[in-house]
Each structure stands twice: as C-alpha cells, then as structure tokens.
Amino acid sequence: MVATEEDLAPATAERTARTWPWLVLGVLIVLVLGSVARYLEDTVPAAAKGTSLEKFAAAVEYPIYAIALGLIGNVIVYYAGLRERIADAVRTEFFIKTGLVLLGASINLSLIVKAAGPAILQAVLLISSVFLITWYLGGLLGLDEKLRALLSAAVSICGVSAAIAAAGAVRARREQLAYAASLVIIFALPSIFLLPWLADVFGLSPAVAGAWIGGNIDTTAAVTAAGAIAGEQTLQIATIVKATQNALIGIVAVALTAYFAFKVEKDADAQRPGLRQLWDRFPKFVLGFIAASAIGSWYAGTVSAAEAKAHIGVINDLRTWFLILAFVSIGLQLRVSALREAGWRPVAVFGGATLANLAIGLGLASILFAGFTA
C-alpha cells in the first residue's frame, strides 16, 4: 500500500509541532549570546579604562566576544542535549549573507568596480592553483575522490558553501560533508586572529591585507570577522575579494558535476550540466551586495554628507548585529567529533593545502593590490 499525501500530512504536521519550540529556543539562545557579545564590546573597554588592561580591552572587538560566547554556548548545549535540537536556528549562512548585503550599502560602488579586475584575476589564479594542489595531496594520501572534491572546493573557494555545492555535484555522503565542514570551521577560527596579526607584522597595506584575508580564510563569516578586526578598509577589500570567489562556486560545481558524471562514474546517460545549473549554484547574495552598494552610492549623492553618514550609520549598526549573530553561530556549529571519525589524512590534506593557500594568496595579493587605494 502506497502512502498518499493525505496520509503523510498528519505526520508532517506532528513533526512541525515538535520542531518549532526547539527552533524558538535556538533563536533565543543565539540572540541572547549575541546581545551579551554586544554588551561586552560596549562596556569592557570603559570598565578597563585607566587600568593595565586598557589597551587589551580596547583591542578586543565584537567578533572575538561573539565567537568565544558561541564556543561556550556550544559546550553548554552539547552537555544539555540540545545541540542537535536547536541546529535549525543556528543559521550562520543566513546571518552572514544578510550582514554582507547590508555592508554593501556602506561601500561606494566605484570601489567595487575598481577592485573587480585584480579581485577576479586573484580569484581565478588562486582557486585554480589551490584546487589542484589539494586534489593532488588528496590523491597522494589515498582519499576517496568525492572527499577530495569536497576538500579541494572548500579550501580553494569559500569553505562550507563550496563544500555543500561540491557535495551536491559529486553526490558525496553526508559524513564526508560533515568532515569537510568541520575542518573548515576548525581551521578558520585561528585564522580570524592569526591573519590580521600577521598582516600587521608584515606591514601590509589595508588593501593587500584585505585581499590576503579575503582570498585565504575559508568561510565568508570568518573573513568578515578577520576583516573587522583588521579595520574597515581591510574589511571592505576582503569582502569584495571573497564575494568574487563565491561567484565562482557555480562554475566549479558544474565542472565537478561533469567530471564525475563522465570520468569517475562514467555514466553514459548523464545529462550535460547547463546554464540553469550554473545559475542555481550561483550565490545570490553577491547580487544583493552589489545592488546595496549601487543604491547606497546613489543615495549618498542625492543628500547631504551629514544625512548620508547618519543613515549609513543606522545600516552599519544593523549590519553589526547580523554579523555578531553569524559569529555566535560559528562557535555553536563547531563539531570536533566529525574530525575524530575522519582520521588524520583529511586533516593533513586540508592543513597542507591551507599553507599553500596562504603562501600563494600572499604573493598574489602583494602583486595585484600593491599601491591600491580606495
């Protein structure tokens, strides 16, 4: 006997009724942790003023508070047995993409146009070289080809989003996606603090530092966090560079689909991927980011400088809230258990590819963004 839609409807309604309280609880947890992060950013520097901790407190900004609170919250909800139940509320991708669209409103469109040339060239060269290096390392250590594809896409493009797109293209197993996503987050967390520090040690200009951060850190949320720590101009360039890389997800996903269909799986009946699949894979928030920049630039030209600054300030404050929620979610999403199950070989491949990414990315950023000014 085949179940009809009428038979399945009560079961679906029951699942929804069981899920929504946990969704509400998860949203509340994210909001509370985000509010505490914002409170700490506002109050700690003032409380430390005049003490030996004044400089340290002034240097610690909201990305650090938000990620730290997310990690603490992760431990609490794990031992309380809530982590999986509230997972649907931990929407890192939604929070970060909304925040980046709002960020676009504060970036003059002329800066995006000016940075587009070197950003595209850097993205193509960096993605191609790092993808091939990761693919080679994965083959050298005998990784499954589908896992090789996930890791190669994650390291070379933009972390979890690229891994998800690659997983759909090559029909990877759920646990393989979990390995890749966990590696992305674990490697991205120290990069948030390490790359701004190294950029300062190397004496990189804001543009070069932004291009290096945007081209190397594997998640858009972590790029934004590192850029926020390094400074507003660095954040803007890093966002443009990362958005350019994100725009290439569709091309890589289509290429992987074709490669696995006709080379690895050798399916003669497989349909050739077309423009529709490319559009389906394209990250739409990139268009929102450019549209917000265009609207913001137009509006700034129609009102006084003071009025434009006031309105952009409101948008920037809203943007900060969404980014704080994204950084809290990064901490809440960390899954160390997936790495233990994966073993040492994926970790070695990801680590080696990350080092190559850092070196190649620094070289390209130093060449393509040398002398770049906003």
Side-chain angles (χ1 to χ4, degrees):
M1 180 177 178
V2 178
T4 64
E5 290 186 11
E6 290 77 9
D7 296 327
L8 296 174
T12 302
E14 184 180 351
R15 281 197 302 273
T16 302
R18 288 200 308 265
T19 301
W20 78 261
W22 298 116
L23 181 63
V24 172
L25 176 62
V27 170
L28 286 174
I29 290 172
V30 174
L31 288 175
V32 168
L33 292 174
S35 298
V36 174
R38 193 68 189 267
Y39 174 78
L40 291 174
E41 183 200 22
D42 292 337
T43 58
V44 170
K49 200 164 186 179
T51 71
S52 60
L53 297 175
E54 180 178 355
K55 290 185 178 179
F56 175 78
V60 178
E61 299 182 356
Y62 67 85
I64 299 174
Y65 289 121
I67 292 169
L69 287 167
L71 291 171
I72 294 170
N74 191 329
V75 175
I76 294 172
V77 297
Y78 173 76
Y79 283 105
L82 298 175
R83 190 165 69 180
E84 300 305 325
R85 293 181 177 183
I86 67 169
D88 289 341
V90 185
R91 305 296 299 273
T92 304
E93 291 287 314
F94 169 74
F95 294 138
I96 195 63
K97 288 174 181 177
T98 304
L100 290 180
V101 170
L102 293 172
L103 173 63
S106 66
I107 300 178
N108 194 289
L109 185 62
S110 62
L111 177 61
I112 296 178
V113 173
K114 186 177 180 181
I120 292 171
L121 182 57
Q122 175 178 312
V124 171
L125 294 174
L126 194 59
I127 289 173
S128 302
S129 57
V130 175
F131 188 99
L132 292 174
I133 289 171
T134 313
W135 185 265
Y136 170 77
L137 291 175
L140 195 65
L141 293 182
L143 295 189
D144 175 83
E145 294 222 347
K146 293 181 179 181
L147 184 56
R148 287 172 71 189
L150 265 62
L151 296 182
S152 299
V155 178
S156 63
I157 309 175
C158 64
V160 177
S161 295
I164 292 172
V170 305
R171 299 174 184 174
R173 299 192 305 275
R174 181 176 298 179
E175 60 268 24
Q176 291 177 322
L177 180 56
Y179 299 159
S182 298
L183 282 168
V184 165
I185 295 172
I186 286 176
F187 274 80
L189 283 176
S191 299
I192 291 171
F193 313 106
L194 182 62
L195 263 66
W197 175 73
L198 286 175
D200 186 53
V201 170
F202 295 156
L204 303 182
S205 69
V208 172
W212 190 37
I213 289 169
N216 281 271
I217 299 181
D218 290 325
T219 74
T220 305
V223 165
T224 309
I229 292 171
E232 186 67 19
Q233 187 178 348
T234 301
L235 171 62
Q236 291 181 359
I237 298 297
T239 302
I240 293 169
V241 169
K242 181 53 66 176
T244 304
Q245 284 190 340
N246 286 338
L248 298 176
I249 290 176
I251 296 174
V252 174
V254 169
L256 285 172
T257 300
Y259 178 77
F260 271 75
F262 299 112
K263 289 286 187 181
V264 178
E265 296 167 358
K266 298 179 181 178
D267 185 356
D269 298 326
Q271 294 183 344
R272 295 187 179 277
L275 291 177
R276 177 52 190 264
Q277 188 172 1
L278 181 63
W279 169 249
D280 289 341
R281 302 288 187 183
F282 184 83
K284 312 301 188 297
F285 86 93
V286 174
L287 301 179
F289 174 77
I290 296 173
S293 175
I295 294 169
S297 301
W298 168 81
Y299 178 75
T302 62
V303 298
S304 67
E307 191 175 357
K309 185 177 180 180
H311 289 160
I312 291 298
V314 173
I315 294 174
N316 284 343
D317 188 62
L318 184 60
R319 175 244 294 184
T320 298
W321 273 108
F322 273 101
L323 296 183
I324 285 174
L325 298 179
F327 303 149
V328 166
S329 298
I330 287 177
L332 286 170
Q333 283 185 319
L334 184 65
R335 299 288 189 274
V336 178
S337 59
L339 297 184
R340 289 199 299 265
E341 295 171 10
W344 67 271
R345 290 183 299 169
V347 178
V349 170
F350 204 98
T354 297
L355 291 175
N357 196 16
L358 285 169
I360 297 170
L362 179 58
L364 288 173
S366 298
I367 294 170
L368 296 174
F369 284 85
F372 185 94
T373 55

